[in-house]
PDB file of all heavy atoms in Angstrom:
ATOM      1  N   MET A  66       9.690   7.084  20.652  1.00 98.00           N
ATOM      2  CA  MET A  66       9.493   5.927  21.531  1.00 98.00           C
ATOM      3  C   MET A  66       9.214   6.377  22.962  1.00 98.00           C
ATOM      4  O   MET A  66       8.350   5.807  23.642  1.00 98.00           O
ATOM      5  CB  MET A  66      10.730   5.022  21.505  1.00 98.00           C
ATOM      6  CG  MET A  66      10.846   4.174  20.269  1.00 98.00           C
ATOM      7  SD  MET A  66      12.387   3.231  20.146  1.00 98.00           S
ATOM      8  CE  MET A  66      12.477   2.433  21.710  1.00 98.00           C
ATOM      9  N   ALA A  67       9.917   7.393  23.440  1.00 98.00           N
ATOM     10  CA  ALA A  67       9.697   7.902  24.793  1.00 98.00           C
ATOM     11  C   ALA A  67       8.289   8.486  24.925  1.00 98.00           C
ATOM     12  O   ALA A  67       7.615   8.266  25.944  1.00 98.00           O
ATOM     13  CB  ALA A  67      10.754   8.943  25.138  1.00 98.00           C
ATOM     14  N   ILE A  68       7.843   9.206  23.919  1.00 98.00           N
ATOM     15  CA  ILE A  68       6.486   9.778  23.952  1.00 98.00           C
ATOM     16  C   ILE A  68       5.442   8.672  23.980  1.00 98.00           C
ATOM     17  O   ILE A  68       4.494   8.716  24.783  1.00 98.00           O
ATOM     18  CB  ILE A  68       6.273  10.721  22.750  1.00 98.00           C
ATOM     19  CG1 ILE A  68       7.138  11.976  22.897  1.00 98.00           C
ATOM     20  CG2 ILE A  68       4.801  11.093  22.592  1.00 98.00           C
ATOM     21  CD1 ILE A  68       7.168  12.856  21.668  1.00 98.00           C
ATOM     22  N   VAL A  69       5.591   7.672  23.141  1.00 98.00           N
ATOM     23  CA  VAL A  69       4.623   6.567  23.098  1.00 98.00           C
ATOM     24  C   VAL A  69       4.641   5.798  24.419  1.00 98.00           C
ATOM     25  O   VAL A  69       3.591   5.439  24.961  1.00 98.00           O
ATOM     26  CB  VAL A  69       4.916   5.628  21.901  1.00 98.00           C
ATOM     27  CG1 VAL A  69       4.096   4.345  21.985  1.00 98.00           C
ATOM     28  CG2 VAL A  69       4.657   6.350  20.600  1.00 98.00           C
ATOM     29  N   TYR A  70       5.822   5.568  24.976  1.00 98.00           N
ATOM     30  CA  TYR A  70       5.926   4.865  26.265  1.00 98.00           C
ATOM     31  C   TYR A  70       5.242   5.675  27.364  1.00 98.00           C
ATOM     32  O   TYR A  70       4.501   5.122  28.186  1.00 98.00           O
ATOM     33  CB  TYR A  70       7.401   4.630  26.603  1.00 98.00           C
ATOM     34  CG  TYR A  70       7.604   3.942  27.930  1.00 98.00           C
ATOM     35  CD1 TYR A  70       7.290   2.591  28.093  1.00 98.00           C
ATOM     36  CD2 TYR A  70       8.104   4.629  29.029  1.00 98.00           C
ATOM     37  CE1 TYR A  70       7.472   1.956  29.309  1.00 98.00           C
ATOM     38  CE2 TYR A  70       8.281   4.006  30.247  1.00 98.00           C
ATOM     39  CZ  TYR A  70       7.965   2.665  30.383  1.00 98.00           C
ATOM     40  OH  TYR A  70       8.140   2.041  31.587  1.00 98.00           O
ATOM     41  N   GLY A  71       5.462   6.988  27.379  1.00 98.00           N
ATOM     42  CA  GLY A  71       4.812   7.848  28.365  1.00 98.00           C
ATOM     43  C   GLY A  71       3.301   7.831  28.212  1.00 98.00           C
ATOM     44  O   GLY A  71       2.574   7.752  29.218  1.00 98.00           O
ATOM     45  N   LEU A  72       2.799   7.913  27.002  1.00 98.00           N
ATOM     46  CA  LEU A  72       1.358   7.848  26.771  1.00 98.00           C
ATOM     47  C   LEU A  72       0.794   6.498  27.193  1.00 98.00           C
ATOM     48  O   LEU A  72      -0.299   6.418  27.765  1.00 98.00           O
ATOM     49  CB  LEU A  72       1.036   8.119  25.297  1.00 98.00           C
ATOM     50  CG  LEU A  72       1.208   9.564  24.843  1.00 98.00           C
ATOM     51  CD1 LEU A  72       1.048   9.646  23.327  1.00 98.00           C
ATOM     52  CD2 LEU A  72       0.219  10.471  25.532  1.00 98.00           C
ATOM     53  N   ASP A  73       1.534   5.420  26.951  1.00 98.00           N
ATOM     54  CA  ASP A  73       1.093   4.092  27.352  1.00 98.00           C
ATOM     55  C   ASP A  73       0.975   4.009  28.869  1.00 98.00           C
ATOM     56  O   ASP A  73      -0.028   3.502  29.396  1.00 98.00           O
ATOM     57  CB  ASP A  73       2.059   3.036  26.828  1.00 98.00           C
ATOM     58  CG  ASP A  73       1.624   1.624  27.176  1.00 98.00           C
ATOM     59  OD1 ASP A  73       0.444   1.300  26.937  1.00 98.00           O
ATOM     60  OD2 ASP A  73       2.460   0.856  27.690  1.00 98.00           O
ATOM     61  N   LEU A  74       1.966   4.509  29.598  1.00 97.00           N
ATOM     62  CA  LEU A  74       1.897   4.511  31.055  1.00 97.00           C
ATOM     63  C   LEU A  74       0.731   5.359  31.551  1.00 97.00           C
ATOM     64  O   LEU A  74      -0.002   4.969  32.474  1.00 97.00           O
ATOM     65  CB  LEU A  74       3.206   5.035  31.646  1.00 97.00           C
ATOM     66  CG  LEU A  74       4.412   4.116  31.559  1.00 97.00           C
ATOM     67  CD1 LEU A  74       5.640   4.802  32.154  1.00 97.00           C
ATOM     68  CD2 LEU A  74       4.146   2.801  32.258  1.00 97.00           C
ATOM     69  N   PHE A  75       0.536   6.535  30.931  1.00 97.00           N
ATOM     70  CA  PHE A  75      -0.547   7.433  31.332  1.00 97.00           C
ATOM     71  C   PHE A  75      -1.908   6.777  31.122  1.00 97.00           C
ATOM     72  O   PHE A  75      -2.757   6.782  32.023  1.00 97.00           O
ATOM     73  CB  PHE A  75      -0.449   8.745  30.548  1.00 97.00           C
ATOM     74  CG  PHE A  75      -1.593   9.677  30.787  1.00 97.00           C
ATOM     75  CD1 PHE A  75      -1.711  10.353  31.989  1.00 97.00           C
ATOM     76  CD2 PHE A  75      -2.560   9.872  29.813  1.00 97.00           C
ATOM     77  CE1 PHE A  75      -2.777  11.210  32.221  1.00 97.00           C
ATOM     78  CE2 PHE A  75      -3.626  10.718  30.027  1.00 97.00           C
ATOM     79  CZ  PHE A  75      -3.740  11.394  31.238  1.00 97.00           C
ATOM     80  N   PHE A  76      -2.150   6.208  29.964  1.00 95.00           N
ATOM     81  CA  PHE A  76      -3.446   5.588  29.690  1.00 95.00           C
ATOM     82  C   PHE A  76      -3.666   4.332  30.539  1.00 95.00           C
ATOM     83  O   PHE A  76      -4.793   4.023  30.924  1.00 95.00           O
ATOM     84  CB  PHE A  76      -3.616   5.281  28.204  1.00 95.00           C
ATOM     85  CG  PHE A  76      -3.812   6.510  27.368  1.00 95.00           C
ATOM     86  CD1 PHE A  76      -2.986   6.783  26.292  1.00 95.00           C
ATOM     87  CD2 PHE A  76      -4.815   7.412  27.658  1.00 95.00           C
ATOM     88  CE1 PHE A  76      -3.167   7.922  25.519  1.00 95.00           C
ATOM     89  CE2 PHE A  76      -5.007   8.553  26.895  1.00 95.00           C
ATOM     90  CZ  PHE A  76      -4.180   8.812  25.830  1.00 95.00           C
ATOM     91  N   THR A  77      -2.587   3.608  30.847  1.00 93.00           N
ATOM     92  CA  THR A  77      -2.714   2.463  31.749  1.00 93.00           C
ATOM     93  C   THR A  77      -3.133   2.936  33.129  1.00 93.00           C
ATOM     94  O   THR A  77      -4.021   2.352  33.763  1.00 93.00           O
ATOM     95  CB  THR A  77      -1.385   1.692  31.826  1.00 93.00           C
ATOM     96  OG1 THR A  77      -1.033   1.241  30.520  1.00 93.00           O
ATOM     97  CG2 THR A  77      -1.499   0.487  32.752  1.00 93.00           C
ATOM     98  N   TRP A  78      -2.512   3.994  33.609  1.00 92.00           N
ATOM     99  CA  TRP A  78      -2.861   4.553  34.912  1.00 92.00           C
ATOM    100  C   TRP A  78      -4.307   5.044  34.927  1.00 92.00           C
ATOM    101  O   TRP A  78      -5.050   4.770  35.864  1.00 92.00           O
ATOM    102  CB  TRP A  78      -1.899   5.693  35.255  1.00 92.00           C
ATOM    103  CG  TRP A  78      -2.214   6.367  36.551  1.00 92.00           C
ATOM    104  CD1 TRP A  78      -1.991   5.882  37.800  1.00 92.00           C
ATOM    105  CD2 TRP A  78      -2.841   7.637  36.698  1.00 92.00           C
ATOM    106  NE1 TRP A  78      -2.426   6.785  38.723  1.00 92.00           N
ATOM    107  CE2 TRP A  78      -2.965   7.882  38.078  1.00 92.00           C
ATOM    108  CE3 TRP A  78      -3.306   8.596  35.799  1.00 92.00           C
ATOM    109  CZ2 TRP A  78      -3.533   9.035  38.583  1.00 92.00           C
ATOM    110  CZ3 TRP A  78      -3.859   9.758  36.305  1.00 92.00           C
ATOM    111  CH2 TRP A  78      -3.979   9.970  37.667  1.00 92.00           C
ATOM    112  N   ILE A  79      -4.712   5.774  33.880  1.00 93.00           N
ATOM    113  CA  ILE A  79      -6.090   6.273  33.789  1.00 93.00           C
ATOM    114  C   ILE A  79      -7.083   5.105  33.782  1.00 93.00           C
ATOM    115  O   ILE A  79      -8.111   5.146  34.471  1.00 93.00           O
ATOM    116  CB  ILE A  79      -6.280   7.132  32.511  1.00 93.00           C
ATOM    117  CG1 ILE A  79      -5.519   8.440  32.634  1.00 93.00           C
ATOM    118  CG2 ILE A  79      -7.752   7.382  32.220  1.00 93.00           C
ATOM    119  CD1 ILE A  79      -6.085   9.382  33.669  1.00 93.00           C
ATOM    120  N   THR A  80      -6.777   4.057  33.035  1.00 91.00           N
ATOM    121  CA  THR A  80      -7.659   2.889  32.976  1.00 91.00           C
ATOM    122  C   THR A  80      -7.774   2.235  34.339  1.00 91.00           C
ATOM    123  O   THR A  80      -8.866   1.851  34.770  1.00 91.00           O
ATOM    124  CB  THR A  80      -7.134   1.875  31.939  1.00 91.00           C
ATOM    125  OG1 THR A  80      -7.006   2.523  30.680  1.00 91.00           O
ATOM    126  CG2 THR A  80      -8.067   0.683  31.814  1.00 91.00           C
ATOM    127  N   ASN A  81      -6.676   2.104  35.055  1.00 89.00           N
ATOM    128  CA  ASN A  81      -6.702   1.516  36.394  1.00 89.00           C
ATOM    129  C   ASN A  81      -7.503   2.376  37.357  1.00 89.00           C
ATOM    130  O   ASN A  81      -8.219   1.851  38.215  1.00 89.00           O
ATOM    131  CB  ASN A  81      -5.290   1.303  36.925  1.00 89.00           C
ATOM    132  CG  ASN A  81      -4.572   0.165  36.224  1.00 89.00           C
ATOM    133  OD1 ASN A  81      -5.219  -0.721  35.666  1.00 89.00           O
ATOM    134  ND2 ASN A  81      -3.264   0.210  36.239  1.00 89.00           N
ATOM    135  N   VAL A  82      -7.394   3.693  37.242  1.00 89.00           N
ATOM    136  CA  VAL A  82      -8.145   4.580  38.133  1.00 89.00           C
ATOM    137  C   VAL A  82      -9.628   4.521  37.807  1.00 89.00           C
ATOM    138  O   VAL A  82     -10.486   4.424  38.713  1.00 89.00           O
ATOM    139  CB  VAL A  82      -7.615   6.028  38.015  1.00 89.00           C
ATOM    140  CG1 VAL A  82      -8.549   7.005  38.712  1.00 89.00           C
ATOM    141  CG2 VAL A  82      -6.210   6.126  38.588  1.00 89.00           C
ATOM    142  N   ARG A  88      -4.532  -4.707  41.878  1.00 64.00           N
ATOM    143  CA  ARG A  88      -3.209  -5.205  41.406  1.00 64.00           C
ATOM    144  C   ARG A  88      -2.864  -6.516  42.011  1.00 64.00           C
ATOM    145  O   ARG A  88      -3.044  -6.925  43.032  1.00 64.00           O
ATOM    146  CB  ARG A  88      -2.119  -4.173  41.732  1.00 64.00           C
ATOM    147  CG  ARG A  88      -2.312  -2.935  40.935  1.00 64.00           C
ATOM    148  CD  ARG A  88      -1.222  -1.976  41.197  1.00 64.00           C
ATOM    149  NE  ARG A  88      -1.526  -0.739  40.478  1.00 64.00           N
ATOM    150  CZ  ARG A  88      -0.725   0.254  40.377  1.00 64.00           C
ATOM    151  NH1 ARG A  88       0.449   0.212  40.932  1.00 64.00           N
ATOM    152  NH2 ARG A  88      -1.053   1.330  39.729  1.00 64.00           N
TER     153      ARG A  88
END
Side-chain angles (χ1 to χ4, degrees):
M66 283 174 51
I68 291 171
V69 169
Y70 179 72
L72 288 172
D73 182 49
L74 288 178
F75 174 72
F76 288 125
T77 301
W78 178 75
I79 290 292
T80 304
N81 288 337
V82 169
R88 293 183 185 187

